Amino acid sequence: MVLENKLGIGNPQSLAQEEERLSKARARQLFEQGVLDTLEPGTFAALRTIHQYLFEEIYPFAGKLRTVNIAKGSFRFVPVLYLEAALESIDKMPQSNIDEIVEKYVEMNIAHPFREGNGRSTRIWLDSILRHELHQVVDWSKIDKEDYLLAMERSPVRDTEIKHLLKEALTPDTNNRELYMKGIDHSYHYEGYTTYKTGEV
């Protein structure tokens, strides 16, 4: 299945390549133009703005809540019916230390508010919280991609692994564009979402 896109691309591989190229260019602008400094860290409003900025040239749903239920393997993200309430709860979660920030990050991942592009948007969102609250960011080059994806898959049940990975990779080098760009590497995000209707087994 190829997602509806503004580029008129019908091939999934071609769309993935163009999506990565265009979203990375927009992410660089987001960083260089200081847009992140104008957002309130840790809010869904900030995440929505980030997502729209990254994907508005590609998808008509950029910055918009998904309208379908999605799953990765056997794990189902928050159903559409409860999505807005979940996001309101996440907004209210504390973010004063690394444990609280990672817990908030995990909950936003479980919410997965957009149809596509959640991982990249949310990692930028995470870094903006860390920069604001702790004056640190994640050095993504220190995190093995497979370890990260496995830890994120297990995080809804047990967040110890993802907390450890992120804590060990923190750096005070908050203005390093290359570290920031590493966080939106295409290979860090989930692939193979499926949609389902409420009531399906």
Side-chain angles (χ1 to χ4, degrees):
M1 184 186 73
V2 179
L3 289 173
E4 179 187 358
N5 62 87
K6 295 180 177 180
L7 307 175
I9 296 175
N11 178 279
Q13 288 75 29
S14 299
L15 178 59
Q17 290 172 356
E18 272 303 284
E19 179 195 289
E20 181 170 19
R21 184 183 70 81
L22 291 171
S23 64
K24 280 189 172 180
R26 295 288 288 174
R28 192 173 292 109
Q29 292 173 20
L30 194 67
F31 184 87
E32 293 175 346
Q33 295 176 9
V35 177
L36 295 172
D37 297 331
T38 69
L39 307 179
E40 184 178 355
T43 63
F44 175 65
L47 180 61
R48 183 197 295 270
T49 299
I50 291 167
H51 188 271
Q52 182 172 5
Y53 201 96
L54 292 185
F55 298 105
E56 64 184 353
E57 296 179 347
I58 308 163
Y59 296 121
F61 57 76
K64 297 178 182 178
L65 288 181
R66 58 181 165 85
T67 57
V68 295
N69 295 318
I70 59 174
K72 170 65 178 174
S74 61
F75 182 78
R76 295 184 175 190
F77 298 102
V78 172
V80 169
L81 183 62
Y82 306 112
L83 187 52
E84 289 192 34
L87 294 171
E88 288 175 8
S89 296
I90 294 168
D91 266 1
K92 296 173 184 175
M93 291 178 70
Q95 54 187 50
S96 61
N97 59 55
I98 183 62
D99 283 336
E100 290 177 348
I101 292 169
V102 176
E103 287 162 11
K104 192 166 189 170
Y105 176 58
V106 167
E107 289 301 314
M108 188 60 82
N109 179 64
I110 294 170
H112 245 58
F114 309 111
R115 182 65 182 85
E116 175 64 36
N118 290 278
R120 284 158 285 179
S121 302
T122 310
R123 283 191 293 280
I124 293 174
W125 181 78
L126 169 66
D127 268 353
S128 74
I129 304 173
L130 291 168
R131 184 181 293 109
H132 182 264
E133 300 291 346
L134 306 182
H135 307 292
Q136 297 185 85
V137 291
V138 177
D139 180 349
W140 293 97
S141 68
K142 293 182 178 179
I143 297 180
D144 179 83
K145 295 167 188 175
E146 289 300 319
D147 289 346
Y148 168 79
L149 289 173
L150 286 172
M152 287 302 289
E153 286 176 10
R154 289 192 276 257
S155 65
V157 176
R158 190 169 183 269
D159 61 13
T160 308
E161 291 172 78
I162 193 61
K163 282 181 177 177
H164 176 74
L165 282 176
L166 294 176
K167 284 178 183 178
E168 291 297 306
L170 289 178
T171 174
D173 194 5
T174 58
N175 293 316
N176 188 320
R177 189 184 69 179
E178 297 312 309
L179 294 185
Y180 161 84
M181 291 299 295
K182 187 71 175 175
I184 60 162
D185 192 302
H186 190 74
S187 57
Y188 274 102
H189 81 268
Y190 296 106
E191 294 181 355
Y193 292 127
T194 56
T195 61
Y196 68 93
K197 295 179 181 178
T198 304
E200 287 182 354
V201 178

